[in-house]
Amino acid sequence: MDEENTTAAAADAAHDTAEQSNDESTAAVQENADSAPADETASGADAPTDDAKDKAASSGRPKRVRKTTTNYVPEEEMKKEMIIPDGKGEKLGEMPNVVNKFGDVTWSTPCLKSLYYIVFGVGKKAEFKKHLLQFNGFNFSEEKEEAELDKVTQKIHKLKLDQLKEIMDLCDIDRSMDSFEEKKNPDKDMLSTRFLEWLQEPKASGKKLKKASAKRKSSSSAAAAKAPKKKSPPKKAKKEASKPKKKKQTATPADEDEEVNIPGVSTDKIRSKIQSIVANADKDSVTVKDVRKKLEDWLDMDLLEYKNSIRALVMDAM
């Protein structure tokens, strides 16, 4: 009897325990279901609304603006052509003596470089002769004339006496003793004053142009005409007859009278320079273009427009 009571009590206890566990699991599920909307509501509260955004924007903090980037493209530099002022005197390119003397110098000649610096300042070496031959005197405004002439005077006084004389000779300026009122050997101050006056209004000296090269050619041709012709002995004549005759180069018409109108240099100088270039070159491989290129280096200027005249002189020299 006691055993049956004990067994029944144990069964009741187990049943109660099972019901209690079922109740706890049901309560947990219900609790999870109730907490889910609360979590969603809480997450929704964390998200900012439009009103909150507007409020943050109007809080006084500056709004960041994104800047657009642009690539820098450098502009092409425009080549500025120098404008030669129109003075009161004659252009150097219209003075035969000056043009002839300019043909004897190059851009590297000190007196030409100094003259260009006094007149124009710093410039490109290839344009020294071109600009100077267009110069016909200073043309300063009344307000700046005194100051500009003072600058030019300072440049002239920085020259040594020998340098000043060379520049005046290049410009064909008379600096003889008789040309001055004092009738004495001029000093540096006297020469500087005359040079400055000439720069303000250049004028040709009026001296006759010396053509030394023409005299030499005429004297050499006259001597050749007077010289008696030597008769070759008959034996040599036979030997020469057996040799094949060389073809003579056909000279272009008027080779001797061909004129190359290059500003600043005479035709005789061009002819002698071409003869020198051809003499020192390989005649089998040298071309007219090679000779013209060497002439361009010598004169510091482009000679393409004179190629036909240069070709005639080169063929004559060869």
Side-chain angles (χ1 to χ4, degrees), residues 261-278:
N261 297 321
I262 299 175
V265 62
S266 62
T267 303
D268 293 329
K269 275 204 171 299
I270 293 291
R271 183 181 285 108
S272 61
K273 184 64 177 180
I274 289 175
Q275 291 174 353
S276 175
I277 294 172
V278 172

Side-chain angles (χ1 to χ4, degrees), residues 2 5 9 49 64 76 91 115 144 147 159 162 168 184 188 197 292 307:
D2 293 334
N5 293 333
T49 61
R64 184 174 180 270
E76 295 183 359
K91 289 186 178 181
L115 177 61
K144 298 181 179 180
L159 298 171
D162 293 339
M168 293 181 70
K184 65 176 183 179
K188 185 178 179 180
E197 292 174 353
R292 179 166 57 83
K307 63 180 182 180

Side-chain angles (χ1 to χ4, degrees), residues 216-269:
R216 290 176 184 174
K217 185 183 289 186
S218 60
S219 60
S220 60
S221 59
K226 290 181 181 179
K229 295 182 179 179
K230 294 182 179 179
K231 294 181 179 180
S232 58
K235 292 182 180 180
K236 290 184 179 180
K238 290 180 181 180
K239 289 182 179 180
E240 290 177 357
S242 62
K243 292 181 181 179
K245 293 182 179 180
K246 294 182 180 180
K247 293 182 179 180
K248 293 183 180 180
Q249 294 179 346
T250 57
T252 57
D255 275 340
E256 293 295 329
D257 299 332
E258 183 68 35
E259 293 292 334
V260 185
N261 297 321
I262 299 175
V265 62
S266 62
T267 303
D268 293 329
K269 275 204 171 299

